[in-house]
Amino acid sequence: MSDVELIKPDKKLAIKLDYIIDKKNKRDWKQGYHRLCMILGTDPLPQGNKTDYEYYEAVMKPKFQYYLLEGNNVIGRVQTSRRGNNFIDIQYVKIEDEFQGQGYGTKLFQMLEEEIMEDEQIEGIIIEDASILGQTTRIARKLGYEQNEYGQFIKYRQNKEKKTSL
């Protein structure tokens, strides 16, 4: 696990990584794209003579902002958003099935926290556990996050006073 790297790729690389994951996991992304078009009431872009990857690149958007890599393997992915100007929500974390239970989730959270806190404007990180088995809760507690009355886990920047409202 010493060779893991957290990256925030540009759009082109994020699309490539998502495509590799979808292909590896045998996801029917074309059907998903067509279903989304149907829901939105838009006409799907025809594939024409584009390769599957070229078509994927044309119709899909990156799903995540951060990726945990070990060599050429995508270990995990994270989706974040801003809450106001000074907090970051870690909204969705996915560790690939074959890497679960090996400490990669904890490593991903540690590296992400370090990356986020490089921004001096950020006062804290908020996590809501959407995991099926509570893995996120265990990791948040292990890393010193405090649970608030809404069930969210919060970690404030060191040497900052806690704010009562978010």
Side-chain angles (χ1 to χ4, degrees), residues 80-150:
T80 63
S81 68
R82 282 199 174 261
R83 183 180 296 211
N85 292 325
N86 304 93
F87 288 86
I88 297 291
D89 275 325
I90 298 176
Q91 292 185 313
Y92 183 77
V93 177
K94 171 66 176 144
I95 300 296
E96 294 304 305
D97 292 345
E98 67 268 27
F99 298 106
Q100 291 180 7
Q102 300 175 40
Y104 287 106
T106 301
K107 184 72 171 171
L108 175 56
F109 273 95
Q110 289 170 325
M111 294 174 85
L112 183 61
E113 182 180 308
E114 196 174 294
E115 172 83 15
I116 289 169
M117 290 302 187
E118 285 181 9
D119 181 345
E120 293 290 325
Q121 300 301 310
I122 299 302
E123 292 179 31
I125 299 170
I126 301 168
I127 302 169
E128 293 189 45
D129 188 353
S131 63
I132 296 168
L133 301 174
Q135 301 96 320
T136 301
T137 293
R138 286 192 297 280
I139 292 170
R141 285 186 174 138
K142 184 186 331 181
L143 296 178
Y145 285 74
E146 298 174 21
Q147 192 168 15
N148 68 14
E149 65 270 21
Y150 306 108

Side-chain angles (χ1 to χ4, degrees), residues 26 28 45 47 51 59 74 97 146-147:
K26 299 179 178 147
D28 191 348
L45 181 69
Q47 184 169 353
T51 66
V59 301
V74 176
D97 292 345
E146 298 174 21
Q147 192 168 15

Side-chain angles (χ1 to χ4, degrees), residues 3-112:
D3 295 340
V4 294
E5 170 186 25
L6 182 70
I7 65 166
K8 187 173 186 176
D10 62 17
K11 179 182 176 182
K12 188 171 180 78
L13 180 55
I15 290 284
K16 181 180 179 181
L17 294 171
D18 287 343
Y19 179 75
I20 289 167
I21 293 164
D22 282 350
K23 192 169 170 112
K24 179 187 80 170
N25 292 328
K26 299 179 178 147
R27 289 196 188 103
D28 191 348
W29 60 268
K30 287 182 191 179
Q31 183 182 30
Y33 166 65
H34 285 268
R35 194 176 319 126
L36 179 62
C37 289
M38 189 172 65
I39 290 168
L40 297 175
T42 59
D43 292 327
L45 181 69
Q47 184 169 353
N49 58 0
K50 291 179 177 77
T51 66
D52 278 354
Y53 179 70
E54 291 168 337
Y55 187 50
Y56 189 92
E57 203 172 20
V59 301
M60 301 302 273
K61 295 178 183 169
K63 299 172 189 143
F64 299 89
Q65 289 96 8
Y66 294 93
Y67 294 78
L68 185 67
L69 304 176
E70 187 172 54
N72 293 326
N73 291 318
V74 176
I75 304 298
R77 304 160 279 159
V78 178
Q79 186 177 53
T80 63
S81 68
R82 282 199 174 261
R83 183 180 296 211
N85 292 325
N86 304 93
F87 288 86
I88 297 291
D89 275 325
I90 298 176
Q91 292 185 313
Y92 183 77
V93 177
K94 171 66 176 144
I95 300 296
E96 294 304 305
D97 292 345
E98 67 268 27
F99 298 106
Q100 291 180 7
Q102 300 175 40
Y104 287 106
T106 301
K107 184 72 171 171
L108 175 56
F109 273 95
Q110 289 170 325
M111 294 174 85
L112 183 61

